[in-house]
């Protein structure tokens, strides 16, 4: 049987990125945290934490962290099941205002565009009803499932259609990305449309180096792989890793870029942005991945996210 005081110390070091921060969170001395981590490593016969700046988990440490999170969810279920069935703690009361039900942190990975649009509304009813805290990791939608696979999170919004091993995968819907620019920018840089010569000259904006949406658009637009390779090598690019600032850069006429329709709709209606390639939207299909472990909190979060997504995202 694992000593969960030791497990808690390892989890804190991994989550906080170091022993000093973990000590503050756990209200222990740094030496005590270090001793607990070393004790568990000795007990298990393996290194769990890479002593670096920031500290990070080994493969074994990631598996231990995922196990710790799953145990926490199961313990929350048990606390709710054992609550007194009288007064304010009646079975009809939700868990949000039940003192002896602990706050439970749910680590979730989400892409920045979802976080800037539909995701907060999806989780708001869940957070009002439950004693749950979200620990969000933001990454490109092509990479969020890797955080789930490696044990960093319990759930993720991803473009991956196949379930991660040991996890559930549910379709959320489709987000269409449009190639947009401010009207003055379009007139200056694309007077004859999206020609190869203009695409080689006009500054574009993408989220980060893992963002593939712009390149997906160009592959579908250009007549050949040779044309795509030629433009991709010379494409002037801004990197703006913020969904809100990304849209601002385009709306201010500093670049053109691929913007999800939910963020673009009002700008288009008010004439601040124009579609450079009508009918050539890039459809991005999103999926909800979560642990296969069935717990009340994870099931409730899944229900709220999937239900809301089905209401606001395009369905096929």
């Amino acid at each position: 049987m694992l000593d969960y005081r030791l497990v808690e110390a390892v989890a804190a070091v991994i989550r906080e990125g170091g022993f000093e921060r973990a000590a503050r969170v756990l209200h222990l001395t740094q030496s005590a945290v270090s001793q607990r981590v070393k004790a568990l490593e000795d007990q298990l016969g393996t290194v769990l934490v890479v002593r670096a700046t920031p500290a990070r988990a080994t493969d074994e440490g990631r598996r231990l962290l995922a196990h710790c999170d799953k145990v926490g969810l199961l313990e929350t279920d048990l606390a709710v099941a054992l609550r007194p069935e009288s007064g304010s703690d009646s079975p009809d009361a939700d868990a949000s205002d039940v003192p002896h039900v602990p706050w439970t942190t749910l680590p979730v990975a989400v892409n920045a565009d979802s976080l800037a649009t539909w995701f907060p509304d999806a989780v708001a009813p869940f957070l009002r009803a439950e004693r749950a805290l979200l620990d969000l990791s933001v990454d490109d939608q092509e990479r969020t499932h890797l955080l789930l696979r490696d044990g960093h999170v319990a759930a993720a919004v991803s473009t991956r259609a196949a379930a991660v091993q040991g996890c559930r995968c549910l379709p959320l819907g489709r987000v269409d990305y449009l190639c947009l620019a401010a009207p003055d920018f379009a007139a200056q840089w694309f007077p004859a449309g999206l020609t190869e010569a203009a695409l080689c000259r006009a500054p574009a904006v993408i989220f980060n180096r893992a963002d593939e949406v712009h390149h997906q658009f160009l592959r579908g637009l250009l007549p050949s792989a040779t044309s795509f390779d030629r433009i991709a090598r010379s494409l002037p690019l801004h990197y703006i890793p913020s969904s809100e600032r990304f849209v601002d850069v385009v709306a201010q006429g500093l670049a053109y870029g691929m913007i999800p329709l939910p963020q673009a709709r009002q700008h288009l209606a008010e004439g601040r942005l124009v579609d450079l390639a009508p009918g050539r939207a890039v459809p991005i299909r999103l999926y909800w991945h979560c642990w296969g472990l069935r717990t009340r909190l994870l099931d409730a979060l899944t229900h709220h996210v999937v239900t809301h997504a089905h209401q606001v995202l395009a369905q096929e």
Side-chain angles (χ1 to χ4, degrees), residues 12-69:
V13 170
I14 295 170
R15 288 201 178 97
E16 300 300 323
F19 288 80
E20 183 178 350
R21 292 180 180 177
R24 287 201 297 267
V25 168
L26 297 174
H27 306 291
L28 297 170
T29 65
Q30 186 172 338
S31 175
V33 173
S34 181
Q35 289 172 19
R36 290 186 181 188
V37 172
K38 184 65 166 59
L40 187 56
E41 289 179 327
D42 289 345
Q43 178 183 329
L44 296 177
T46 187
V47 176
L48 300 170
V49 177
V50 177
R51 275 70 167 176
T53 303
R56 63 183 187 275
T58 62
D59 289 343
E60 292 77 10
R62 283 193 291 271
R63 285 193 283 271
L64 183 75
L65 182 61
H67 171 78
C68 181
D69 289 335

Side-chain angles (χ1 to χ4, degrees), residues 5-310:
R5 294 178 308 154
L6 309 186
V7 173
E8 183 183 48
V10 172
V13 170
I14 295 170
R15 288 201 178 97
E16 300 300 323
F19 288 80
E20 183 178 350
R21 292 180 180 177
R24 287 201 297 267
V25 168
L26 297 174
H27 306 291
L28 297 170
T29 65
Q30 186 172 338
S31 175
V33 173
S34 181
Q35 289 172 19
R36 290 186 181 188
V37 172
K38 184 65 166 59
L40 187 56
E41 289 179 327
D42 289 345
Q43 178 183 329
L44 296 177
T46 187
V47 176
L48 300 170
V49 177
V50 177
R51 275 70 167 176
T53 303
R56 63 183 187 275
T58 62
D59 289 343
E60 292 77 10
R62 283 193 291 271
R63 285 193 283 271
L64 183 75
L65 182 61
H67 171 78
C68 181
D69 289 335
K70 290 174 182 177
V71 170
L73 288 173
L74 292 170
E75 288 183 346
T76 299
D77 278 5
L78 182 62
V80 172
L82 296 178
R83 67 188 181 189
E85 296 185 4
S86 61
S88 61
D89 288 349
S90 68
D92 295 331
D94 63 47
S96 63
D97 195 32
V98 181
H100 73 276
V101 175
W103 285 97
T104 300
T105 297
L106 284 169
V108 176
V110 62
N111 60 307
D113 290 338
S114 292
L115 185 58
T117 53
W118 62 272
F119 190 79
D121 289 337
V123 299
F126 168 78
L127 295 177
R128 293 190 187 102
E130 304 290 350
R131 290 176 70 84
L133 306 170
L134 291 183
D135 182 357
L136 294 183
S137 297
V138 181
D139 205 339
D140 187 81
Q141 59 260 23
E142 302 287 342
R143 295 175 52 84
T144 47
H145 74 278
L146 299 177
L147 296 173
L148 179 66
R149 184 200 66 187
D150 291 343
H152 292 294
V153 299
V157 176
S158 171
T159 56
R160 178 187 168 102
V164 176
Q165 184 176 5
C167 296
R168 291 175 279 163
C169 177
L170 301 168
L172 295 174
R174 189 188 78 240
V175 179
D176 291 330
Y177 281 70
L178 310 179
C179 185
L180 304 179
D184 290 346
F185 183 96
Q188 176 185 354
W189 292 97
F190 298 112
L194 298 180
T195 64
E196 291 188 33
L199 288 168
C200 287
R201 294 193 302 266
V205 57
I206 66 175
F207 187 80
N208 59 24
R209 285 168 175 79
D211 182 1
E212 285 292 319
V213 176
H214 198 97
H215 287 83
Q216 288 181 44
F217 168 75
L218 291 177
R219 286 190 185 95
L221 176 72
L222 296 169
S224 68
T226 302
S227 297
F228 169 77
D229 290 341
R230 181 168 56 250
I231 290 173
R233 284 195 298 268
S234 59
L235 193 64
L237 289 174
H238 297 288
Y239 296 96
I240 309 291
S242 163
S243 288
E244 293 83 356
R245 301 291 79 80
F246 186 108
V247 176
D248 290 343
V249 166
V250 176
Q252 290 170 13
L254 304 177
Y256 75 104
M258 303 299 296
I259 297 177
L261 181 57
Q263 283 181 288
R265 190 174 282 113
Q266 186 171 349
H267 291 282
L268 288 168
E270 297 175 358
R272 291 194 295 272
L273 293 177
V274 294
D275 191 345
L276 297 175
R280 288 190 173 274
V282 175
I284 300 296
R285 292 167 180 81
L286 297 176
Y287 300 85
W288 176 251
H289 294 258
C290 64
W291 287 334
L293 177 72
R294 304 304 295 260
T295 71
R296 191 185 62 82
L297 272 185
L298 192 54
D299 282 353
L301 176 62
T302 295
H303 169 75
H304 283 287
V305 169
V306 173
T307 299
H308 184 79
H310 287 178

